[in-house]
Amino acid sequence: MTAFSNQDKQQLVSKGIAAEKVLKQIETFKEGIPFVKLEKAAVVDEGILKFSADEEKKFIESFDAEKNKKSLLKFVPASGAASRMFKAFFNFLEKYNPEEEALDAYISRTGDKDIKKFSEELIHLPFYEIIQLRIKGKYTSEGEELFLFVKEMLSEQGLNYGFYPKGLLPFHNYGDYAATPFEEHLKEAALYASAEGEANLHFTISEQHGEMFNKEFDAIKERVSAATNASFNVSYSFQKAETDTVAVTMDNKLFREASGAILFRPGGHGALIENLNEQDADIIFIKNIDNVVPSRNIEEVANSKKVLAGLLIELQNKAFKYAQVLEDKSSLNFDTMMEIKSFLENHLNARFSAIFESYTIDEQIEILIDKINRPIRICGMVKNEGEPGGGPFWIKGVKGNASLQIIESAQIDASNGSQMNILKNSTHFNPVDLVCGVKNFKGEKFNLINFVDVKQGFITEKTKDGKELKALELPGLWNGAMAFWNTIFVEVPLVTFNPVKTVNDLFKKSHQVS
């Protein structure tokens, strides 16, 4: 049994974490987190919907007709630091000396493909001219030019992009200005997440970057409002300290820092279900901060979001009607119950026990009520062309029922041949493109914490001060944190997926303005 010292208890109180929660996390480390059991890959017509152009047009028109009656919100996880984008370039500054070695020789010696590509396509960066002006006349060789360019890009004395939040880096060069992902999200929101000319956005950010986001909004809001004929309400929140998780030693004892304090680590993006749960809107669009397009593609992206939102409204209207019938029971009969069950199975992808019909009528009604009174998520899926990302699968739950889930490869047993074959059959992946309905038929917001599958977290191995440890990551926001939602997958165009994981991704045609 883990005993907490007075120092431990004070630390837990300061973080707002109950001792019982820590004990449960230790038990999770001891028990391990089981791999998910894939039943089959979700593909078009078997878990993934694919609409015709006429069907898409109908959903777009439906959403446009209804949106002014709804409260809309765009929710953007934006706490990612740009330092990950520049990992190879920090390494370059450390390893390369332009006074001792030519650039070609360095690339040949190290096989550094990132630096090779960067050096060849440098001119296409949205901040190329800014840096060139700063280093002009300070170099005498190609290697020295590149070294100074990277140093100016990353160093604290230069542009300091390595410290920036990813959302505030220049991504798209429009000539007279360069737009950040933050700005591009505002432009997008004006097209599909606005009603009566007003768009609401919520960004989850790191506390250290709050002032930077405020300054950027003040600098761009007039320009974006003029371009979009919309006004913007922007709010922020931080990942909560109470969602941090403990680390343990390799034999499942609390890992302690040199000071004796318990080591806590951020719980991953799954912690943001707490932030999402605090938002109050009829329809919530979720999209990652680095997944944006330049203006030439923005309308196609917006129309894709409207298709998903139009489908959500159609499904909600039916689900709300049936939920009302189940509650008042006055018009409820066997045929209506079977109609509701069919709707749940065929449109909301709910699955029922094989012995459902052996239950009493009252028991069946309770099951129907439970299954229909859930938040709904419409998830865009793009065809898999080799990009990493969670995939759509039917998985078997602990009670044997199948459900549609977004599953990461780390959740799958790589030593199980049949499971890996199912993984190979996957045709699509999730670009973090969700439209969510988080209210019930009475307009009351669901408590989203009640729909998390705590068994879909991750245990990873890390090091701290040279010592090995085990870390716990919470169920991902669009993975286990939404496991018990009603889930619908829809194929969306590849243009909707343009993440920037490294700075070299900015060279892709999809991020070039012209």
Side-chain angles (χ1 to χ4, degrees), residues 440-510:
N440 65 17
F441 70 101
K442 298 177 181 177
E444 301 164 335
K445 199 175 67 62
F446 290 109
N447 182 357
L448 303 182
I449 310 305
N450 294 337
F451 300 91
V452 175
D453 183 355
V454 295
K455 291 295 186 183
Q456 280 199 43
F458 303 87
I459 294 174
T460 57
E461 294 185 6
K462 307 280 184 181
T463 59
K464 168 79 171 173
D465 300 330
K467 298 177 184 176
E468 291 185 321
L469 61 83
K470 290 194 287 187
L472 178 64
E473 194 167 311
L474 298 171
L477 179 59
W478 41 85
N479 308 102
M482 295 182 176
F484 299 131
W485 293 37
N486 284 324
T487 297
I488 298 91
F489 294 153
V490 179
E491 184 177 290
V492 293
L494 194 57
V495 70
T496 62
F497 184 64
N498 297 283
V500 177
K501 300 306 178 189
T502 79
V503 69
N504 283 358
D505 286 332
L506 290 173
F507 298 133
K508 291 179 179 178
K509 187 178 178 182
S510 59

Side-chain angles (χ1 to χ4, degrees), residues 137-205:
K138 296 181 181 178
Y139 53 83
T140 57
S141 69
E142 183 187 15
E144 194 174 13
E145 178 188 8
L146 188 69
F147 184 86
L148 288 175
F149 189 100
V150 173
K151 187 176 180 181
E152 187 67 30
M153 178 173 72
L154 298 180
S155 72
E156 196 172 334
Q157 295 74 32
L159 294 177
N160 202 19
Y161 283 165
F163 166 76
Y164 269 53
K166 191 186 285 189
L168 297 184
L169 288 177
F171 266 29
H172 302 142
N173 187 356
Y174 291 101
D176 52 346
Y177 72 96
T180 64
F182 179 73
E183 179 170 347
E184 300 292 22
H185 274 287
L186 296 183
K187 292 180 193 173
E188 270 192 31
L191 291 179
Y192 62 79
S194 66
E196 304 288 359
E198 191 168 271
N200 300 308
L201 298 96
H202 183 86
F203 294 84
T204 61
I205 63 173

Side-chain angles (χ1 to χ4, degrees), residues 36-43 46 384 391-396 403-405 407-409 411-428:
V36 298
K37 293 182 180 177
L38 303 181
E39 185 175 84
K40 60 182 178 181
V43 297
E46 286 187 68
N384 198 332
F393 295 92
W394 291 96
I395 73 164
K396 290 180 182 175
S403 66
L404 272 181
Q405 301 291 342
I407 299 298
E408 306 289 341
S409 57
Q411 296 176 267
I412 302 166
D413 185 357
S415 67
N416 186 314
S418 63
Q419 290 287 286
M420 294 308 289
N421 282 336
I422 294 173
L423 176 62
K424 289 172 186 172
N425 289 332
S426 179
T427 56
H428 291 68

